[in-house]
Amino acid sequence: MYLQGAYMHENSQILALQEHCKVLEQQVLKLTTECDTVKAMFQQLANAVHLPHTDPLKLKPASLNPLLMTTNAPSPCPNSETHPDVRFWHQEDFLNWLDKAAEAELTSCRKLAYLEDENGNTLPESMVKGVWKVIRSGYCELMKWGLAPKSWGKLCTTGRGNFHSIVENACPFFKLANDGWKLDHLAGTSYPAWR
């Protein structure tokens, strides 16, 4: 009888150790996934700032200083002084222009005439189609991150910042607006149909 009790005790220890091994295997899988994610994010960052080494384990902080000194400073945000030909820096400018029906009638894409290039020219329709694709992908990213609101007016600051970053990087002409009003206006009017 003693042997049977010892055997059962030994079996319960083996089962407990097997269970502990399963937990450890799950933790290893989780850590491996996190490590791979961090490496991928480091790779993207390294590519963006043109680091010569893309292995985070071989990166030496001392090697960053010369890189930081030679990196070009970001260009200043466009404004009415740097881009005087842009007509619609403020939404009021566009609304006033729309009120002048004769001038507005000359534009085939009257509703989107505020989308303009650095020279104040309305974007061609072929480019506008590409803009819609970028806008929709921005909406999808918000959805993926769990930041997509039921209505555009309820978009949180983080969501707005991420959305602007995505779209403005793909379509820099959206930066030709005071406080991002052009992108906010276009997104606000098209979001309900997408949602």
Side-chain angles (χ1 to χ4, degrees), residues 23-107:
V23 169
L24 289 174
E25 287 172 353
Q26 289 174 344
Q27 288 178 345
V28 167
L29 179 63
K30 180 183 173 197
L31 289 172
T32 303
T33 304
E34 288 176 1
C35 181
D36 291 345
T37 302
V38 168
K39 282 182 180 178
M41 291 171 71
F42 179 84
Q43 182 70 38
Q44 287 178 339
L45 178 62
N47 290 339
V49 297
H50 308 292
L51 282 178
H53 312 296
T54 54
D55 184 358
L57 300 175
K58 294 181 181 175
L59 184 68
K60 296 177 183 168
S63 67
L64 290 179
N65 289 338
L67 290 172
L68 293 175
M69 290 179 195
T70 59
T71 303
N72 294 335
S75 58
C77 290
N79 59 51
S80 59
E81 291 176 7
T82 60
H83 295 79
D85 295 331
V86 173
R87 298 174 292 167
F88 308 123
W89 281 101
H90 302 275
Q91 190 169 14
E92 299 80 34
D93 298 335
F94 175 66
L95 295 175
N96 289 337
W97 177 82
L98 268 182
D99 287 342
K100 298 176 186 174
E103 186 181 353
E105 291 298 325
L106 298 174
T107 306

Side-chain angles (χ1 to χ4, degrees), residues 121-142:
N121 300 318
T122 302
L123 297 182
E125 193 170 324
S126 59
M127 242 177 124
V128 172
K129 287 180 182 179
V131 169
W132 286 117
K133 288 180 183 177
V134 173
I135 296 278
R136 285 191 297 273
S137 71
Y139 293 155
C140 290
E141 288 298 312
L142 288 176

Side-chain angles (χ1 to χ4, degrees), residues 109-121:
C109 310
R110 181 182 138 160
K111 291 182 179 178
L112 299 177
Y114 59 89
L115 296 180
E116 53 190 334
D117 64 16
E118 294 178 338
N119 300 318
N121 300 318

